[in-house]
Amino acid sequence: MGKVSMKLINEEGLRHDGRRPDEMRPVTMEVGVLSNSDGSALVSFGRTRVLAAVYGPREPPQRYMILPDRALLRVRYHMAPFSTSERKSPAPSRREIELSKVIREALEDIVLTHLYPRTSIDIFIEVLQADGGTRTAAVTAASLALADAGIPMKALVAGVAVGKIEGVLVLDVDEIEDGSGEADMPVAAAPDIGKITLFQLNGVLTREEIERGLDMALNAIQKLVEMEKEVLRKKYTFNV
Amino acid sequence: MSEVKRRIVVPGERLPPNVVVREREHEYVYEEEGVKYATVIGLLDERGENPVFVPLQSIYIPKPGDVIIGLVQSIGIMNWYVDINSPYVAILTAQDYLGRPYNPQIDDLSRYLPVGSYVKVKVLAFDRTRNPLLTVRGEEGLGRITKGKIVEVDPAKIPRVIGRKGSMLQMLKEETGCSIFAAVNGRIHINCPNPEIEPILVLAIKMIEEQAHTSGLTDRVKKYISELKVIRGVK
């Protein structure tokens, strides 16, 4: 695709949707949205909306999948056919398979899988509406759904992407910025235990930009995790 | 106010170093470099001498000696596969249940325990490398459940249904006249001589499950049962 001719950063330094460079899109989180699953969450970053459902620990569907020393974490990231402006084929694409792996690895170090050997924990992530940043929204939703399912985990995880457009580092890139920006760097982390669990970079950034971008992302993740905690507390706080 | 001393904690939140955890719930606290963290959503009660952490949900992991209620899921050649409300499917052998040698060529297991029947069983062995093995021998009252009703609650709520020194269970039995067995895997078997009181008891158990973390629950449940009895005209 050719570059979009519209200016992504205006004279006042604001982005195409009026955000400052270090501003996230409005984020909403909801837990326990599905009753058939053990845990579920619906997260939206602006127009990006992601639903996650967690099942388990339960018996793996096939015996050959069994891991003798820990639970098998299975992640399926999928984009609904109606999630994009042009119909997306519902068959899992190369990108979706890869993202499933990346998200699984972002959660594997957090979930205490050694407690439930020979079982499987299944996470289904459905992108309902895609507007950039779906993988980081997916990690955030999966983390909330795991907590809702009561699966022991070291800490809560959240993710956000940092991008570079017209030479400026910006937080939480959306579809337009992602499509015509110079770089995109999704990050997921668990601030409570000080660990980065997902770090990717598409495009070119200098070392100094990476450091600055990482700082921006980690600050935002800290806020996202606080929000996750608030949402979970709210669900389980009773007023008796 | 007492509310300040009782709060909801979420995964990754630090717990006081002297935190007390109930038996078989140690996996819900994670320790790294001497610092304890909660791994699930739970309630931290700091009113007593030592703070207590109670998870709001738990996953039942079998332990040898547990007396539990299982649901026959499917039938194998020489055994039943029993759902025990756990990630692991348990095995009950035909020889153990029948108490005699069993020949699959002349006998049919579904005659004794069809799929869907409930059994009260004891966990004989479980060591995480093999699925749990069940038995109906060695204790009174084990075997197929033929009467009454099974109520399922989260395994984490079972200690509350039993109450301190069995106070809640005692009250439920006295108020309803039913026999109640609360198994650690979250299944409660109730058997009421008066069928009209059965739904009242189910509602009372559901109330305990929902409000497990609140104080003064025994009295409130007692009041609730007597109110329901009046409304429904049950003696």
Side-chain angles (χ1 to χ4, degrees):
Chain A
M1 276 226 309
K3 291 229 166 180
V4 182
S5 56
M6 90 185 253
K7 258 190 100 50
L8 289 172
I9 302 252
N10 68 12
E11 298 77 39
E12 290 153 33
L14 296 178
R15 292 149 76 177
H16 75 99
D17 52 2
R19 280 187 287 160
R20 291 185 311 275
D22 61 348
E23 197 177 334
M24 269 194 289
R25 290 173 284 179
V27 179
T28 62
M29 295 175 187
E30 227 180 301
V31 284
V33 290
L34 305 173
S35 55
N36 279 0
S37 64
D38 294 323
S40 57
L42 180 64
V43 169
S44 52
F45 280 67
R47 283 200 299 258
T48 295
R49 261 170 107 75
V50 178
L51 179 70
V54 170
Y55 293 79
R58 59 182 181 183
E59 210 155 82
Q62 299 291 325
R63 287 202 72 83
Y64 72 84
M65 295 175 170
I66 286 175
L67 299 174
D69 59 336
R70 60 183 193 275
L72 169 74
L73 196 66
R74 299 197 301 162
V75 176
R76 176 203 191 238
Y77 164 97
H78 183 248
M79 282 174 96
F82 51 82
S83 62
T84 44
S85 48
E86 244 174 74
R87 178 182 181 272
K88 190 224 150 258
S89 159
S93 61
R94 181 206 55 78
R95 177 180 169 275
E96 283 167 297
I97 295 165
E98 181 187 320
L99 282 185
S100 301
K101 173 189 174 282
V102 167
I103 295 165
R104 189 190 73 225
E105 285 170 354
L107 298 167
E108 244 168 12
D109 284 342
I110 297 301
V111 179
L112 298 169
T113 49
H114 69 273
L115 292 174
Y116 306 105
R118 300 185 301 115
T119 62
S120 85
I121 298 168
D122 301 337
I123 306 172
F124 297 94
I125 296 162
E126 195 69 22
V127 177
L128 302 178
Q129 188 161 269
D131 185 31
T134 58
R135 80 191 67 186
T136 49
V139 171
T140 312
S143 157
L144 270 176
L146 281 165
D148 185 39
I151 291 172
M153 51 207 275
K154 287 182 195 168
L156 292 166
V157 202
V160 75
V162 171
K164 184 183 170 189
I165 44 173
E166 291 167 17
V168 184
L169 285 180
V170 293
L171 190 65
D172 192 16
V173 286
D174 65 16
E175 188 82 52
I176 296 172
E177 290 171 333
D178 190 23
S180 48
E182 291 122 59
D184 174 30
M185 183 173 82
V187 181
D192 285 338
I193 53 168
K195 277 193 174 129
I196 292 174
T197 63
L198 182 153
F199 187 97
Q200 293 183 301
L201 173 62
N202 180 18
V204 181
L205 288 181
T206 64
R207 179 182 280 254
E208 185 266 334
E209 278 169 340
I210 287 179
E211 277 167 15
R212 210 147 44 85
L214 196 56
D215 270 350
M216 279 167 83
L218 292 177
N219 276 336
I221 287 168
Q222 181 78 50
K223 283 182 200 138
L224 287 169
V225 167
E226 285 309 318
M227 207 172 154
E228 284 183 10
K229 287 181 180 174
E230 206 45 55
V231 170
L232 289 171
R233 277 196 204 106
K234 220 179 206 167
K235 190 197 163 186
Y236 290 96
T237 301
F238 313 85
N239 44 9
V240 183
Chain B
M1 280 290 284
S2 63
E3 269 173 64
V4 188
K5 301 261 178 140
R6 276 153 61 93
R7 60 190 173 90
I8 301 276
V9 289
V10 295
E13 211 166 307
R14 260 180 194 231
L15 295 173
N18 56 341
V19 71
V20 178
V21 194
R22 290 191 302 207
E23 204 193 332
R24 60 196 311 161
E25 284 175 353
H26 293 281
E27 65 209 60
Y28 301 119
V29 172
Y30 161 77
E31 201 172 333
E32 195 169 84
E33 289 167 10
V35 185
K36 288 177 177 167
Y37 300 92
T39 65
V40 289
I41 300 163
L43 194 71
L44 185 67
D45 189 342
E46 292 179 305
R47 289 175 305 177
E49 203 175 299
N50 281 322
V52 181
F53 174 68
V54 180
L56 292 183
Q57 295 174 61
S58 73
I59 296 160
Y60 173 67
I61 297 299
K63 214 174 86 183
D66 283 353
V67 176
I68 53 173
I69 295 171
L71 172 64
V72 175
Q73 194 180 52
S74 62
I75 297 172
I77 299 170
M78 298 289 279
N79 59 283
W80 286 275
Y81 293 101
V82 186
D83 166 29
I84 54 166
N85 197 20
S86 160
Y88 306 100
V89 175
I91 289 163
L92 176 63
T93 62
Q95 197 172 351
D96 183 277
Y97 184 77
L98 302 172
R100 59 173 165 81
Y102 168 75
N103 183 351
Q105 282 174 326
I106 50 170
D107 227 345
D108 180 14
L109 282 186
S110 62
R111 268 180 48 213
Y112 304 101
L113 279 180
V115 170
S117 41
Y118 281 104
V119 270
K120 189 173 166 185
V121 286
K122 194 162 92 172
V123 179
L124 192 64
F126 175 62
D127 64 359
R128 294 190 175 218
T129 60
R130 277 172 162 231
N131 277 14
L133 185 66
L134 306 174
T135 180
V136 291
R137 312 265 146 211
E139 207 154 313
E140 274 292 296
L142 299 182
R144 185 170 178 189
I145 295 169
T146 50
K147 272 189 284 183
K149 206 171 205 149
I150 304 289
V151 188
E152 256 187 53
V153 297
D154 192 286
K157 312 288 186 198
I158 288 292
R160 199 69 184 92
V161 174
I162 294 168
R164 197 165 290 169
K165 290 182 185 153
S167 58
M168 181 72 86
L169 205 60
Q170 196 56 40
M171 184 278 290
L172 289 175
K173 282 178 183 168
E174 277 167 14
E175 291 296 306
T176 60
C178 305
S179 73
I180 307 166
F181 170 70
V184 275
N185 66 336
R187 293 202 177 118
I188 303 164
H189 175 219
I190 58 174
N191 189 12
C192 298
N194 178 2
E196 283 178 356
I197 212 155
E198 202 177 70
I200 295 178
L201 181 56
V202 175
L203 285 171
I205 291 170
K206 287 286 162 196
M207 179 182 176
I208 299 168
E209 186 186 14
E210 271 167 34
Q211 303 181 12
H213 57 285
T214 59
S215 45
L217 186 59
T218 315
D219 292 338
R220 261 182 293 129
V221 175
K222 195 171 176 176
K223 201 170 147 225
Y224 181 66
I225 292 175
S226 48
E227 277 172 9
L228 280 180
K229 275 187 186 167
V230 173
I231 293 167
R232 299 184 174 212
V234 184
K235 277 183 193 166

